Amino acid sequence: MSSLPAPVRVSPLIKFGRWSLLSVGILYGAFHQNRLSKKEAAIREVELKQKAIRDEKLAAEKKAAAEKEIAELEKLAK
Amino acid sequence: MSKLIAQAPVLASRLVAEARPRFQVFMKYAKVELTPPSVSDIPEIRSGIGRLINGAKTGRWREVTVREAWLNTLVTVEVLCWFYVGECIGKRHIVGYDV
């Protein structure tokens, strides 16, 4: 343990740069996350509305296809 | 399994006793190397920035040895990487944004 080197005296400019970039990074990360999550919430809402319309369309198409199949099977069975 | 749980406090106290001297060594280095710059360092910081700008202006950066230039590059890259560490802390997710 006594063979460890003495602590290095880091230049204050480097320390200042490190800590300032760290704090700027934290602020930027929080700010950007906020901005992106708001955008994503808006997109999600739009998609939710579209989903309702899309589901209706899909259900209608499925019903039409099922009825066509039944009609064809009846024709074959006649 | 129950023996492990019974021994957990013993293990925890042993871990703490083992970690304490190592933590003290860490603190010994951290107090000198990792502390944020204080108000009294401001003149040094300004003179450092002045020296950098003067060096860039006078073209002294061309006369520096390759070893020195490599070390300066490494230090610069390390200082710039702290921005990304801060960004990860700010967005509270390691890779990418969690929207």
Side-chain angles (χ1 to χ4, degrees):
Chain A
M1 275 297 190
S2 54
S3 61
L4 288 172
V8 165
R9 197 195 145 270
V10 183
S11 138
L13 177 60
I14 295 183
K15 276 203 279 197
F16 172 70
R18 281 187 191 147
W19 283 92
S20 61
L21 277 179
L22 180 70
S23 48
V24 165
I26 295 181
L27 290 173
Y28 174 75
F31 168 68
H32 203 43
Q33 164 83 7
N34 200 10
R35 205 168 42 169
L36 286 178
S37 54
K38 284 206 200 122
K39 267 201 225 173
E40 186 63 29
I43 294 178
R44 229 179 278 157
E45 248 182 84
V46 171
E47 280 196 9
L48 212 60
K49 285 209 202 93
Q50 289 286 19
K51 187 171 147 65
I53 300 177
R54 246 204 338 251
D55 277 346
E56 275 183 39
K57 253 204 282 193
L58 278 175
E61 280 183 13
K62 257 204 243 177
K63 218 163 59 132
E67 289 187 358
K68 221 167 61 146
E69 256 195 76
I70 294 181
E72 297 218 350
L73 284 174
E74 282 188 3
K75 252 204 302 198
L76 281 176
K78 256 201 251 217
Chain B
M1 190 68 198
S2 64
K3 243 198 304 192
L4 181 66
I5 297 184
Q7 278 188 341
V10 177
L11 288 173
S13 63
R14 258 201 295 184
L15 178 70
V16 169
E18 166 80 20
R20 186 162 300 143
R22 292 179 198 267
F23 182 68
Q24 277 167 347
V25 170
F26 171 73
M27 281 308 290
K28 171 175 147 227
Y29 284 106
K31 278 203 247 263
V32 179
E33 297 188 8
L34 292 180
T35 55
S38 64
V39 184
S40 59
D41 288 334
I42 294 187
E44 272 192 60
I45 296 176
R46 288 159 65 99
S47 72
I49 297 181
R51 252 183 302 135
L52 276 177
I53 298 182
N54 272 337
K57 267 199 283 200
T58 64
R60 208 187 70 85
W61 52 272
R62 280 183 287 239
E63 296 151 14
V64 118
T65 68
V66 173
R67 183 173 180 274
E68 284 280 332
W70 172 240
L71 293 176
N72 291 345
T73 312
L74 287 180
V75 171
T76 310
V77 169
E78 188 239 329
V79 169
L80 288 176
C81 282
W82 280 102
F83 172 77
Y84 296 103
V85 172
E87 196 188 348
C88 287
I89 298 178
K91 61 186 174 174
R92 276 179 283 256
H93 204 231
I94 306 261
V95 177
Y97 288 86
D98 198 15
V99 277

